[in-house]
């Protein structure tokens, strides 16, 4: 039985793939990962991502945005460019955007202001959002990036639903209330290699509570490989391994997990539609 997978969040335009990008894509397709959503989240990567979509029509689509760590690039000129990009059929979503209180040089206030500007400026795009969110690593609890991101979104965002979904909360690493808030907003939960990390027991329990109908698979490559490849470059060919971990956690077969998560991604991004 041939299984088809989707990598809902990849960074193939990253310099880590400069010497073998096409080989990486061929390896992904050989293992069944033949639908990839490339996520260029700095303006310099938007054009290369569109070129990648043109080279692999119907197999690679783009999700364009401005990452919180580059929020100073949310200038009027770049926001105008982003709005135009979101009109293109090969650009299927807005992202990744959000708040990062763990590894950003920009202040909380600067990130929140940029997120609001991006959401307001692209309000007419009717495209799903892909969100990045990380709380402080120190566990201080003084600022909750998830709560503050959701607050900005409620004030500045008009969700557009494709079926049940308004977008994806990429690389989820929040708590129970954060998960419930995301699901209430129509966000699917991005599941990647971190599901296999030994210390992520709470994450596994939250993914289990979200259920198969509310998750999508992603690599975030070249980052966050599964436990078997920790310290190595990640790539879309790792999606079957991530799928196997999710299937075991949720008590279904890998085939069932692949089918359901592909269906969820197709519902969210409606490629070709």
């Amino acid at each position: 039985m041939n299984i088809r997978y989707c990598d809902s969040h990849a960074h193939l335009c990253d310099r880590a793939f400069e010497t073998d990008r096409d080989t990486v894509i061929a390896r992904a397709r050989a293992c069944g990962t033949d639908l990839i959503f490339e996520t260029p989240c700095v303006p310099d990567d938007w054009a290369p991502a569109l070129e990648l979509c043109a080279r692999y029509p119907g197999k690679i689509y783009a999700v364009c945005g401005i990452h919180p760590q580059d929020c100073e690039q949310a200038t009027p000129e770049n926001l105008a460019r982003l709005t135009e990009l979101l009109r293109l059929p090969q650009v299927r979503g807005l992202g990744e955007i959000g708040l990062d209180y763990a590894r950003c040089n920009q202040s909380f206030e600067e990130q929140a202001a940029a997120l609001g500007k991006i959401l307001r400026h692209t309000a007419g795009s009717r495209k799903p959002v892909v969100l990045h969110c990380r709380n402080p690593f120190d566990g201080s609890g003084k600022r909750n990036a998830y709560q503050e991101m959701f607050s900005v979104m409620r004030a500045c965002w008009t969700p557009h639903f494709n079926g049940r979904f308004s977008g994806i909360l990429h690389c989820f690493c929040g708590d129970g209330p954060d998960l419930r808030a995301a699901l209430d907003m129509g966000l699917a939960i991005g599941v990647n290699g971190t599901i296999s990390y030994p210390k992520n027991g709470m994450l596994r329990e939250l993914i289990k509570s979200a259920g198969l109908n509310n998750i999508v698979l992603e690599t975030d490559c070249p980052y966050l490989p599964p436990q078997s490849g920790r310290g190595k470059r990640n790539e879309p060919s790792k999606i079957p391994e991530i799928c196997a971990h999710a299937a075991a956690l949720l008590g279904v077969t890998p085939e069932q997990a692949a089918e359901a998560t592909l269906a969820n991604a197709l519902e969210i991004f409606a490629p070709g539609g």
Side-chain angles (χ1 to χ4, degrees):
M1 176 181 179
N2 293 325
I3 305 176
R4 189 183 183 209
Y5 302 93
C6 173
D7 186 349
S8 66
H9 194 114
H11 299 288
L12 291 170
C13 290
D14 192 278
R15 283 175 293 188
F17 299 108
E18 201 62 39
T19 62
D20 64 347
R21 188 170 291 115
D22 291 309
T23 300
V24 167
I25 293 169
R27 190 157 46 234
R29 296 180 69 179
C31 75
T33 309
D34 69 344
L35 180 61
I36 298 172
F37 290 88
E38 172 67 3
T39 310
C41 48
V42 291
D44 283 349
D45 283 345
W46 294 342
L50 294 183
E51 293 172 7
L52 200 61
C53 294
R55 283 174 34 219
Y56 294 93
K59 299 299 182 182
I60 298 181
Y61 292 86
V63 176
C64 296
I66 300 174
H67 195 283
Q69 68 188 12
D70 300 289
C71 65
E72 76 283 354
Q73 296 194 51
T75 62
E77 295 78 13
N78 283 334
L79 291 175
R81 286 177 60 204
L82 182 58
T83 301
E84 289 298 315
L85 287 177
L86 290 169
R87 295 192 175 103
L88 299 176
Q90 65 269 44
V91 178
R92 302 311 305 167
L94 168 66
E96 61 190 282
I97 58 175
L99 300 178
D100 191 323
Y101 291 176
R103 282 184 175 162
C104 271
N105 294 325
Q106 289 77 5
S107 70
F108 307 138
E109 292 75 18
E110 288 170 326
Q111 292 184 52
L115 176 60
K117 285 194 296 183
I118 293 167
L119 291 169
R120 285 190 295 268
H121 207 93
T122 60
S125 74
R126 297 177 64 81
K127 296 284 176 76
V129 296
V130 174
L131 300 167
H132 170 107
C133 196
R134 285 199 293 192
N135 277 321
F137 283 151
D138 63 9
S140 65
K142 294 178 181 177
R143 303 290 297 251
N144 185 307
Y146 282 91
Q147 291 178 10
E148 294 182 21
M149 181 180 72
F150 292 146
S151 178
V152 172
M153 293 180 70
R154 292 184 185 104
C156 303
W157 178 56
T158 302
H160 171 67
F161 280 81
N162 287 334
R164 297 171 294 135
F165 298 110
S166 61
I168 297 171
L169 183 50
H170 151 66
C171 192
F172 179 71
C173 54
D175 59 17
D178 300 330
L179 177 66
R180 288 191 291 274
L183 295 177
D184 286 346
M185 297 178 80
L187 298 169
I189 306 302
V191 175
N192 53 41
T194 60
I195 193 177
S196 66
Y197 296 176
K199 293 182 179 180
N200 276 354
M202 186 180 80
L203 172 64
R204 286 187 284 276
E205 288 304 309
L206 290 171
I207 297 303
K208 189 174 181 179
S209 71
L212 186 58
N213 290 333
N214 290 307
I215 66 171
V216 292
L217 303 180
E218 59 182 28
T219 57
D220 198 26
C221 67
Y223 314 106
L224 301 179
Q227 181 65 25
S228 65
R230 290 290 288 271
K232 300 178 182 178
R233 184 185 71 174
N234 198 11
E235 60 180 69
S237 63
K238 298 298 183 182
I239 283 289
E241 183 177 346
I242 295 167
C243 183
H245 283 287
L249 176 66
L250 295 168
V252 299
T253 66
E255 292 83 358
Q256 290 171 322
E259 181 180 8
T261 53
L262 172 63
N264 292 342
L266 291 171
E267 187 173 343
I268 292 164
F269 291 120

